[in-house]
Amino acid sequence: MAITAAMVKELRDSTGAGMMDAKKALTETDGDMDAAVDWLRTKGLAKAAKKSGRTAAEGLVAVNVESGKGVAVEVNSETDFVGKNAEFQDMVRKIAGAATGVSTVEELAATNVDGKPVADMITDKIATVGENMSLRRMASLEGETVVSYVHNAATDGMGKIGVLVAMTGGNEGFGKQVAMHIAAARPEALNEASLDPAWVEKERQVQIDIAKESGKPDAVIEKMIVGRMAKFLAENTLLGQAFVVNPDLSVEQAAKEAGATITGFVRMEVGEGIEKKEENFAEEVAKAMKG
């Protein structure tokens, strides 16, 4: 497979590796981007990369909590300007309000708000604003106590990052601290049991390859793997992470001190996993002049 400059740049941007190292990694892995990241990590040339994709799409995430059920809804727009529009925000707020009564984004799209389905409401807004929009996803969470938090709020209850935390015991103040931690620390799952087993096993194999590169005895390598995987699990699970409010404690330890048990969470960020085509302004001008 031909290795292009764009592929090399993408790998450099995602791993921080040097240009020649990135090119060699892609050559060694026949252009497989994920395999190239692992190759670089094995050689000690790149840090671990999280699963989440680059954030590029615009719009808002809205959160709403009613009677022990919390929902987070993402509505996308083409530009950040629309996300600041009061009419768009009002529409998103109504959609989030309707979301507490359904379980899926398909049900939400068909739910009537102000006398018409949410899908039609969005279509009408597209016609008046002149910009494409979409109801992308929703997530819900139930618990004895559900606390919500919005980071970079555009207005009350909506912004770039929405978080829901479910727990038993404790109080809303502690729940809010945990929600703020989740917004900042981006945990992949609540605990080890909630992590994708395939992802964990892939990391284990990468760590084994890295350890073997050291040339140390197998007995030492086994201990290295145990320690590195423990660190990996702690960094990627909410309960294992160092609590941002008090880094001397894990979130699990902090919850115990607060008399709380965290039972689940949702973290939703605008545009998560969507890649928007990057336009090169200079190239566009050059094309226009040639035309």
Side-chain angles (χ1 to χ4, degrees):
M1 177 179 179
I3 307 303
T4 66
M7 292 169 66
V8 174
K9 182 181 184 300
E10 181 181 346
L11 186 59
R12 286 185 65 195
D13 290 344
S14 65
T15 63
M19 182 177 69
M20 296 308 295
D21 290 328
K23 185 175 181 181
K24 185 174 182 182
L26 286 164
T27 302
E28 292 288 332
T29 57
D30 197 29
D32 185 321
M33 196 63 66
D34 289 339
V37 171
D38 291 342
W39 188 91
L40 287 166
R41 292 186 59 210
T42 298
K43 302 300 180 184
L45 299 171
K47 294 182 178 179
K50 284 221 171 189
K51 292 191 300 181
S52 58
R54 293 182 301 198
T55 301
E58 301 297 342
L60 290 170
V61 167
V63 294
N64 187 39
V65 178
E66 294 180 21
S67 304
K69 179 178 180 179
V71 294
V73 175
E74 179 183 3
V75 181
N76 291 133
S77 59
E78 288 184 52
T79 65
D80 186 50
F81 179 76
V82 169
K84 297 172 183 175
N85 178 279
E87 289 187 12
F88 179 76
Q89 292 173 356
D90 183 57
M91 180 186 73
V92 175
R93 184 176 290 107
K94 289 176 179 177
I95 293 172
T100 56
V102 300
S103 301
T104 68
V105 72
E106 290 79 16
E107 290 177 7
L108 179 56
T111 299
N112 279 347
V113 174
D114 291 344
K116 65 177 64 178
V118 165
D120 291 349
M121 178 189 291
I122 293 173
T123 300
D124 291 347
K125 190 63 66 178
I126 292 171
T128 57
V129 174
E131 184 170 309
N132 193 30
M133 302 172 192
S134 66
L135 171 62
R136 184 184 177 208
R137 55 180 172 159
M138 69 163 281
S140 59
L141 192 65
E142 295 186 47
E144 180 181 292
T145 301
V146 178
V147 179
S148 65
Y149 168 71
V150 174
H151 185 66
N152 285 346
T155 186
D156 187 41
M158 65 186 76
K160 293 296 184 184
I161 301 173
V163 178
L164 301 168
V165 178
M167 62 185 191
T168 58
N171 56 56
E172 190 165 328
F174 175 72
K176 190 75 74 174
Q177 288 182 334
V178 174
M180 293 173 71
H181 168 98
I182 292 167
R186 300 169 177 264
E188 293 286 346
L190 176 65
N191 50 30
E192 181 179 355
S194 305
L195 283 171
D196 179 356
W199 188 52
V200 175
E201 182 55 32
K202 180 181 177 182
E203 178 65 23
R204 189 187 308 279
Q205 290 303 316
V206 169
Q207 292 298 342
I208 289 171
D209 291 341
I210 292 173
K212 285 180 178 178
E213 289 282 323
S214 70
K216 293 179 179 178
D218 288 347
V220 175
I221 287 176
E222 286 181 17
K223 290 181 180 179
M224 289 170 64
I225 300 305
V226 170
R228 288 176 180 179
M229 288 307 298
K231 183 172 183 286
F232 169 80
L233 294 171
E235 289 176 346
N236 288 284
T237 59
L238 172 60
L239 298 182
Q241 288 179 335
F243 193 29
V244 292
V245 177
N246 181 3
D248 291 333
L249 298 176
S250 68
V251 173
E252 186 172 29
Q253 291 168 332
K256 188 174 181 180
E257 288 194 2
T261 300
I262 301 167
T263 56
F265 76 91
V266 168
R267 183 188 187 279
M268 188 176 289
E269 184 169 348
V270 171
E272 211 165 30
I274 297 177
E275 292 189 18
K276 185 189 295 183
K277 182 181 177 182
E278 294 183 14
E279 300 291 349
N280 185 311
F281 184 67
E283 288 182 3
E284 290 298 313
V285 172
K287 287 179 182 177
M289 290 178 69
K290 287 179 180 178

